[in-house]
Amino acid sequence: MKHSKRFFAMALAGALTVGSLAGCGGSSNEAAAPAGSASAGSAAAASDAGSKGTITVITMALNSDYWHAVQAGGILAGKDYGYTVNVIGPNDESNAQEQCNQILDAVSAGTDAIVLSANNPDTVVSTAADVHADGMPLVEIDSSLPDEDAYDAFLGTNNYDAGKALGDYIGQQDSSAKVALIRGLVGTTVHDDRCNGIADGVEAAGAEVLGIQPADSDRAKGVTVAENFIQANPDLTAIAATNDEMALGAYEAVKSAGKEDQITVYGFDGSIGGLESILAGEMTGTAAQDPVQEGYGGVELAVKILEGESVEKENDNPFQVVTADNAQEVYDELMADLEAAGF
């Protein structure tokens, strides 16, 4: 069942006390974590009194408003279904070893199920497969593991299709565009798919991809990589990043270079910061996922598995390209829900 983004607003309001949430750092626009936060590296705690059990959500990181939205969706699903939901994650998306440790810590602490978004699937898959083989229900969200036997179900956006839609849009705006791509961690399937989709869409329109460089989903690194692209390519007309944090960093570099009228900037995720940037006339667009539903749906799948229901192996999370044409509508919906929740 699709749930309204009002859940995110409710979580931000601190109305929920189900489970413990991780702390945050990174984007200045990122959403505040709900009340009762724990550190990003905390292991799952015991179930709250009266709950049916504990589900641990382990995100790629907890350093952006995208993952806080996933966090909020997971917590709301726990409340609706009567489970304690703990949300944890590394401090950044490059720390796969920390994720492996968090999986093992959650098992040791007695969690009943794990919802995981692997930041480096090739590294994390062995640990996930081992705990799943020992009987731990495991749902993958956002990024799929290379071994289908390592998890019960997957929920995520088709990242290639979303990237292709964004690339198509960029090419439609300027078929002679000179585009630089800034991607997340090399070897991460999510960012591979997004990057390949954007590149294919851009090139299908006759535009040119000048280069691809990683910035590890980090805003500060996005600034540096964008600066390098700008200096090396005086004819650069667009920058597309495989998440909004890097895109926001890229826009900072474009602004510092005084090239706002020459270079357009696109992101991926549809984060609050990304939407605000589009509304401010800065970023031009973003491929928007539904992170609240991703978190909610991941926990919902885990609940069904725990309660003996059958689930589909592959489950889709929708996307849309957001630009100045529809950003206000998307943002107004979120703000209305925040107000309804008491903001």
Side-chain angles (χ1 to χ4, degrees):
M1 177 178 177
K2 183 75 165 57
H3 286 77
S4 167
K5 289 186 177 66
R6 70 182 178 83
F7 289 146
F8 186 31
M10 292 169 64
L12 294 178
L16 302 178
T17 58
V18 182
S20 61
L21 297 173
C24 59
S27 168
S28 60
N29 291 314
E30 63 189 306
S37 297
S39 66
S42 299
S47 300
D48 292 340
S51 76
K52 298 178 181 178
T54 298
I55 297 171
T56 302
V57 179
I58 305 175
T59 64
M60 285 191 189
L62 278 169
N63 61 353
S64 72
D65 57 18
Y66 181 84
W67 293 115
H68 291 148
V70 172
Q71 188 178 43
I75 292 298
L76 263 295
K79 180 176 177 65
D80 285 352
Y81 285 100
Y83 283 79
T84 300
V85 173
N86 300 304
V87 185
I88 58 179
N91 290 320
D92 62 72
E93 291 187 16
S94 64
N95 200 333
Q97 185 56 53
E98 185 176 358
Q99 261 202 336
C100 291
N101 293 340
Q102 289 174 338
I103 292 170
L104 297 175
D105 288 347
V107 173
S108 296
T111 194
D112 296 297
I114 291 173
V115 177
L116 171 68
S117 180
N119 54 23
N120 189 325
D122 289 336
T123 300
V124 176
V125 64
S126 178
T127 302
D130 286 347
V131 300
H132 187 248
D134 286 341
M136 175 61 63
L138 195 150
V139 174
E140 262 287 287
I141 59 172
D142 198 79
S143 64
S144 61
L145 292 167
D147 179 4
E148 291 189 357
D149 292 333
Y151 60 94
D152 295 286
F154 169 72
L155 171 67
T157 298
N158 186 315
N159 285 286
Y160 176 85
D161 287 352
K164 178 66 162 51
L166 181 62
D168 288 341
Y169 181 85
I170 295 170
Q172 289 163 8
Q173 304 314 296
D174 181 5
S175 62
S176 63
K178 307 290 186 181
V179 185
L181 300 185
I182 302 177
R183 58 157 295 149
L185 193 69
V186 173
T188 302
T189 303
V190 166
H191 293 286
D192 290 344
D193 290 346
R194 293 177 182 182
C195 195
N196 291 338
I198 296 170
D200 287 350
V202 165
E203 291 173 344
E208 181 182 357
V209 174
L210 297 178
I212 303 170
Q213 292 294 327
D216 301 343
S217 298
D218 181 82
R219 186 184 296 198
K221 291 181 182 179
V223 174
T224 301
V225 173
E227 288 173 341
N228 293 338
F229 272 126
I230 293 167
Q231 292 168 7
N233 301 278
D235 57 346
L236 180 67
T237 62
I239 298 174
T242 59
N243 83 349
D244 283 344
E245 285 298 301
M246 294 183 292
L248 290 165
Y251 183 79
E252 291 180 28
V254 170
K255 185 176 181 180
S256 295
K259 294 195 172 187
E260 301 99 313
D261 293 335
Q262 175 185 327
I263 303 172
T264 55
V265 178
Y266 300 85
F268 200 115
D269 280 340
S271 67
I272 292 175
L275 293 173
E276 289 177 342
S277 183
I278 293 170
L279 291 171
E282 299 170 346
M283 281 173 52
T284 299
T286 185
Q289 302 184 88
D290 190 339
V292 175
Q293 177 60 22
E294 187 172 87
Y296 193 103
V299 169
E300 186 174 50
L301 286 166
V303 168
K304 288 181 178 180
I305 293 165
L306 288 171
E307 297 185 354
E309 295 184 40
S310 61
V311 298
E312 296 291 333
K313 188 75 171 184
E314 302 292 325
N315 301 271
D316 187 56
N317 196 40
F319 68 86
Q320 62 177 320
V321 175
V322 176
T323 67
D325 292 337
N326 58 346
Q328 192 66 59
E329 179 183 353
V330 174
Y331 191 75
D332 284 350
E333 178 186 353
L334 176 57
M335 292 302 102
D337 288 340
L338 287 169
E339 182 177 358
F343 277 76

